[in-house]
Amino acid sequence: MKRILLAEDDEILRMLIIDTLEEEEFHVEEAEDGLAALKFAEESQYDLIIIDYMMPAYSGIEVIEKVRKGGINNAVPILMLSAKSQLSEQEKAIGAGADYFIAKPFSPLELLGKVRDILHE
């Protein structure tokens, strides 16, 4: 079973994403802010990290930069979710180390399709 770390501060969206992914047999661990996301990423191995751009404690960008600097998840694929859909924001996310970017709002099926593509499911 593929393990996914989901870092999203919006509880309703987080629950929607978890429900969508768990229905497809993915194991999802959740973080409600950047600090929790970083702690999870430092302590456990994941097949994918899905992270929101704007979160309390650390932004998604800050978490990605810290994850990419070392540790057990430094090469894990990272998918950034963001309401900041301008090209400059996407470039900033990719520059920090995100591999993929999905602009909010998105459909659960769009996200699921992207996750399947990333994990070759």
Side-chain angles (χ1 to χ4, degrees), residues 38-49:
L38 189 57
K39 184 175 185 214
F40 277 115
E42 290 173 342
E43 295 176 355
S44 296
Q45 183 85 33
Y46 296 96
D47 297 294
L48 174 64
I49 295 174

Side-chain angles (χ1 to χ4, degrees), residues 2 10 19 23 45 65 79:
K2 300 284 186 171
D10 181 310
D19 288 346
E23 281 181 19
Q45 183 85 33
E65 289 172 342
L79 170 60

Side-chain angles (χ1 to χ4, degrees), residues 69-114:
K69 285 184 181 174
I72 60 175
N73 286 296
N74 65 335
V76 68
I78 297 176
L79 170 60
M80 172 148 290
L81 308 175
S82 181
K84 294 184 170 201
S85 60
Q86 300 87 352
L87 183 58
S88 62
E89 297 301 331
Q90 292 181 32
E91 289 172 347
K92 188 174 182 181
I94 300 299
D99 299 291
Y100 310 94
F101 189 97
I102 293 182
K104 293 178 183 179
F106 55 86
S107 78
L109 291 177
E110 176 187 5
L111 177 65
L112 182 58
K114 190 64 159 176

Side-chain angles (χ1 to χ4, degrees), residues 38 53 55 57-67 80 96:
L38 189 57
Y53 194 110
M55 291 187 299
Y58 291 117
S59 71
I61 296 289
E62 291 171 312
V63 173
I64 291 169
E65 289 172 342
K66 291 176 186 304
V67 166
M80 172 148 290

